DNA sequence: TGTACATCAGTGAACGCGCGTTCACTGATGTAC
DNA sequence: TGTACATCAGTGAACGCGCGTTCACTGATGTAC
């Protein structure tokens, strides 16, 4: 049954790692297709082509399997934000736009992930909820840092609160993702992300790039007072 | 056991209606406190103080109970949006701001509702998913109408797409609601809604209220071309 | 290169548990005369 | 106002089902000599 590819030295351990990857991918696909409530040991095992009891050779219990799944997916998201932060000094607004695009792409490819986040498997699990909150904060913090850099470069209006702006950034894809999910994929999520991004940009961008002292920033400051 | 309040003519039917109200409220509280996965007939019955089998005197099955719950909560949300649309002609931006505030308040008071929307109970149920999508469209459509009215009155920039702007409006509370939920209520959701609203307003508002021909709209139009 | 042993992924039967739901029955409440 | 009957909410025992998990066992693969 086993297919030999490379050297045979670490075949054994590698096989276990391969299986875990397979299991986690199957689990995410089940969540995407049938919802988090259908994520059972039996369903995952069946999809991978194993007996349910076989999964216990790779994880001590169901919880550990889910933890591994969340860890792996979380790494992908973290990589996106770190890349954006690294790109920010050169062109903060472009880095932010690219982050939005990459993140939307990631969610489209890992459709099960957001469903999992909203499921009892996460929300009713204090430790995981805390981890998720930390990751969300890291994402938000990264976006806020980019906004600060943009402000420093005079590309973002000085009256834009980086923290509020970062949370508003999440608002660019979360509702669209919700729509996309409810509509069963029949929703142009990338197209919407582009339009929402234009609106967001209009909201945060300084009137004239790289020139800081003009009349418009004053107008914006006046506006802020009216609202708060 | 029964408490007589008014006339005794329709006591019988009223009692059934009262029970259904009680059951639905208990169900929503369970979802809020323990997640949608904990919404069992036994749990609801226990909370109301009945034997599980008693619920079948009021609903043919669990599905019908959930449908009733969603119907009742949906009415509250619809009332909010209809009120905002009615208030729009007088002051569109104020109507939109009030809608945001009222909706956030509603979600805070019916914390179980959003959890239910993201649960398998809705997302894995094609008919309910369709109903939900219709309701969401109605909400979005209402906001878009208000934005159009704002544009007509010269309060909203003419280059703001009402449909995209309406979806962005959802982005003002959905991420905040997610945060608030993950943080277990330890998140200033109303405060955030206020700040996000200021940012949103800055993004859509025409530079000078009620004056349409100035230089800024042109600048905005140029901006749009750069982005799309 | 060949052999003996250890390791490890996979199996199938079995378990206890909570779930939604059914059903015959009870007793309180409402209605008709 | 009193009595006989109908209606209806509530009960407790029982069901079949899918779930996560355990366990003794198997057979393939890797390792040591």
């Amino acid at each position: 049954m086993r297919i030999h590819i490379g050297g045979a030295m670490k075949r054994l351990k590698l096989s276990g790692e391969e299986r875990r990857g397979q299991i986690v991918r199957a689990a995410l696909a089940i969540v995407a297709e049938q919802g988090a409530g259908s994520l059972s040991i039996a369903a995952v095992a069946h999809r991978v082509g194993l007996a349910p009891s076989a999964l216990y050779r790779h994880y001590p219990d169901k919880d550990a399997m889910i933890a591994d799944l969340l860890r792996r997916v979380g790494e992908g998201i973290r990589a996106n934000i770190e890349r954006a932060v690294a790109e920010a000094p050169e062109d903060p607004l472009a880095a932010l736009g690219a982050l939005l695009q990459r993140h939307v792409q990631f969610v489209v490819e890992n459709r099960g992930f957001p469903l999992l986040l909203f499921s009892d498997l996460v929300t009713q699990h204090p430790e995981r909820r805390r981890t998720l909150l930390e990751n969300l904060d890291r994402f938000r913090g990264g976006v806020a840092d980019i906004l600060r850099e943009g402000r420093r470069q005079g590309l973002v209006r000085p009256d834009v609160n980086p923290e509020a702006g970062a949370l508003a950034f999440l608002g660019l894809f979360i509702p669209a993702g919700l729509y996309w999910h409810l509509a069963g994929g029949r929703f142009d999520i990338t197209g919407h992300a582009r339009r929402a991004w234009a609106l967001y940009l209009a909201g945060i961008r300084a009137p004239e790039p790289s020139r800081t002292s003009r009349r418009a920033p004053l107008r914006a400051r006046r506006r802020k007072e009216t609202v708060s």
Side-chain angles (χ1 to χ4, degrees), chain A residues 38-51:
Chain A
S38 300
L39 181 59
S40 68
I41 293 290
V44 174
H46 181 255
R47 196 175 185 108
V48 176
L50 294 176

Side-chain angles (χ1 to χ4, degrees), chain A residues 82 87 121 158:
Chain A
E82 278 168 11
E87 290 172 353
L121 296 172

Side-chain angles (χ1 to χ4, degrees), chain A residues 187-198:
Chain A
F187 178 80
D188 179 19
I189 187 171
T190 53
H192 168 263
R194 233 186 302 116
R195 284 190 296 276
W197 171 246

Side-chain angles (χ1 to χ4, degrees), chain A residues 175-188:
Chain A
L178 171 61
Y179 243 93
W180 176 69
H181 174 251
L182 288 177
R186 287 180 295 280
F187 178 80
D188 179 19

Side-chain angles (χ1 to χ4, degrees), chain A residues 45-64:
Chain A
H46 181 255
R47 196 175 185 108
V48 176
L50 294 176
S53 53
L55 293 209
Y56 290 84
R57 295 286 152 220
H58 302 281
Y59 297 108
D61 54 23
K62 194 188 176 189
D63 251 37

